Amino acid sequence: MATNTKRLLLSDLVSSDKIDQVPSHYIRRISQRPNLQNVYHDHTIPLIDLHDLYTPNRSHVVHQIGRACRDYGFFQVKNHGVPESTIANMMNIAREFFKLPEEERLKTYSDDPTKTTRLSTSFNIRTEKVANWRDFLRLHCHPLQDYIHEWPTNPESFRDHVAEYCRSARGLALVLIEAISESLGLERDYINRQLGNHGQHMALNYYPPCPQPDLTYGLPGHTDLNLITILLQDEVPGLQVLRNGHWVAVDPVPNTFIINIGDQIQVLSNDRYKSVLHRAVVNCEKERISIPTFYCPSRDAVIGPASELVTEDEPAVYRQFTYGEYYDKFWNRGLATENCLDMFTVTSSSS
């Protein structure tokens, strides 16, 4: 095991040290393991065609999105406007990056979660007690001109392809945010106006094959702290969502995105829409790549329930807070609890 401790990245531990069992610091307690044999396969997950958002049938699509946000907390979209070539380039460049030599990848390595461009492993190795079976490259990407100079230059086309993808993902996020705002009975631009200067981050997640996938997670059950997440996955299953008390596998569908509601939408909607618990599991045969785009408020934006959604019968569930305050608490706790919304309720002692 002596060589294992020298590896900063899980992928190098797996590929170079040829391990045949999961190292002890990745192993979950029995009560916290994924129980993969109890996972459901639900083919009723909403798949929403966004084409009609630009036609007189817009209200029908808005209604579908609202119902999916209320009943599921996540949905899939097709005819989303992101070119197939942009998606293919993004996935290919991610695969190329994680195949680079160790010393090349490690040029962007950091265990500091405040860095806006960094390669790291697990989730937050400074605070967590059990590691996750994942390496990731995290990038801030809005405003693009503020961050692109920090990004890797190897592979050679990395910045061009990722920037193109970021612009397309941002366009999709803005379309969805307007529709979600409308679905709540708010003005179309209401949520947009609450986000300050807006923020956008993304992660390139790499999940190596795991010799004992029933002992660990790529990521354990958690909600996303941001506004909405737009997930691009490769063809290897791994995403699971908690629905009606059961974990449900969300199998990849080519040229679609998974959209999930984050904590900030739950706050803005005053609990009408719920941020959904989801997790990433791993397998023993194939590597998996997933690329979530996290659309969020800027750090100084003040978030709270929309006043139109607060009534005598439905009082405000959450206090107002800055997104920066929420972001810092989320990263510091290191997925120790499933979400941190309870720290921001009106009745919370932290108010």
Side-chain angles (χ1 to χ4, degrees):
M1 290 290 289
T3 56
N4 293 354
T5 56
K6 296 176 183 174
R7 303 286 180 191
L8 290 173
L9 296 172
L10 171 66
S11 50
D12 298 315
L13 169 68
V14 171
S15 63
S16 301
D17 298 338
K18 304 290 190 273
I19 59 171
D20 58 3
Q21 59 185 23
V22 172
S24 59
H25 62 289
Y26 287 94
I27 297 176
R28 298 276 162 176
R29 293 205 305 263
I30 291 176
S31 62
Q32 297 177 344
R33 291 177 188 173
N35 291 317
L36 298 174
Q37 68 277 10
N38 294 331
V39 172
Y40 285 54
H41 288 264
D42 182 352
H43 299 291
T44 64
I45 296 162
L47 175 58
I48 298 174
D49 188 336
L50 298 185
H51 174 266
D52 281 352
L53 274 178
Y54 311 99
T55 74
N57 290 329
R58 178 181 177 87
S59 61
H60 174 65
V61 184
V62 167
H63 176 72
Q64 284 183 298
I65 289 172
R67 189 170 58 196
C69 291
R70 185 188 70 236
D71 296 344
Y72 285 81
F74 67 102
F75 52 95
Q76 302 170 90
V77 294
K78 64 179 182 177
N79 289 326
H80 41 64
V82 181
E84 286 186 25
S85 59
T86 301
I87 291 172
N89 288 340
M90 181 66 246
M91 191 57 75
N92 289 337
I93 209 74
R95 214 174 291 283
E96 286 179 39
F97 176 82
F98 286 111
K99 286 180 178 173
L100 290 172
E102 181 179 12
E103 63 273 13
E104 183 65 31
R105 280 176 285 123
L106 287 176
K107 289 178 180 178
T108 51
Y109 180 84
S110 173
D111 64 4
D112 179 0
T114 65
K115 289 199 71 167
T116 51
T117 298
R118 69 184 185 110
L119 176 70
S120 196
T121 193
S122 190
F123 179 74
N124 184 353
I125 58 176
R126 289 185 173 185
T127 60
E128 64 199 8
K129 293 181 172 62
V130 184
N132 302 295
W133 201 263
R134 172 184 83 135
D135 290 339
F136 64 94
L137 176 65
R138 191 161 181 109
L139 307 172
H140 285 224
C141 34
H142 179 74
L144 201 52
Q145 65 271 16
D146 289 358
Y147 300 109
I148 194 169
H149 65 279
E150 301 176 354
W151 294 0
T153 53
N154 192 1
E156 189 177 348
S157 55
F158 185 94
R159 290 183 179 179
D160 287 343
H161 287 330
V162 177
E164 178 189 12
Y165 180 81
C166 286
R167 283 189 285 265
S168 291
R170 180 169 186 264
L172 175 57
L174 294 173
V175 165
L176 290 168
I177 289 165
E178 285 189 344
I180 291 168
S181 194
E182 280 183 78
S183 75
L184 286 164
L186 303 170
E187 293 180 2
R188 185 184 291 193
D189 66 346
Y190 175 83
I191 294 177
N192 195 317
R193 287 188 278 114
Q194 308 311 304
L195 306 181
N197 293 322
H198 294 223
Q200 181 182 344
H201 313 157
M202 67 187 299
L204 283 57
N205 292 325
Y206 179 77
Y207 302 99
C210 176
Q212 296 169 295
D214 53 331
L215 300 183
T216 190
Y217 290 102
L219 282 173
H222 65 284
T223 63
D224 288 350
L225 79 159
N226 48 290
L227 193 77
I228 62 170
T229 300
I230 299 172
L231 179 69
L232 172 64
Q233 8 178 29
D234 68 8
E235 71 284 355
V236 179
L239 173 66
Q240 298 180 352
V241 178
L242 192 66
R243 178 158 169 74
N244 298 327
H246 299 287
W247 287 104
V248 177
V250 184
D251 293 332
V253 178
N255 293 310
T256 67
F257 292 104
I258 301 287
I259 311 299
N260 70 268
I261 297 307
D263 293 351
Q264 307 312 306
I265 287 285
Q266 181 163 336
V267 172
L268 285 159
S269 72
N270 203 33
D271 267 1
R272 282 168 172 76
Y273 297 165
K274 295 295 176 67
S275 184
V276 67
L277 273 173
H278 54 287
R279 66 186 189 179
V281 298
V282 291
N283 72 86
C284 55
E285 295 175 357
K286 293 182 176 179
E287 65 184 14
R288 174 174 179 258
I289 290 177
S290 72
I291 303 173
T293 291
F294 306 105
Y295 207 82
C296 47
S298 52
R299 284 187 62 89
D300 59 349
V302 177
I303 304 298
S307 57
E308 296 93 324
L309 303 179
V310 175
T311 65
E312 273 192 41
D313 293 333
E314 294 180 296
V317 179
Y318 304 98
R319 65 177 176 88
Q320 289 193 324
F321 52 85
T322 64
Y323 184 64
E325 180 188 357
Y326 197 95
Y327 186 88
D328 292 343
K329 276 196 167 62
F330 181 92
W331 276 96
N332 288 338
R333 89 202 197 310
L335 295 186
T337 56
E338 291 171 337
N339 71 37
C340 56
L341 280 170
D342 53 352
M343 301 166 72
F344 291 86
T345 60
V346 169
T347 56
S348 168
S349 60
S350 65
S351 58

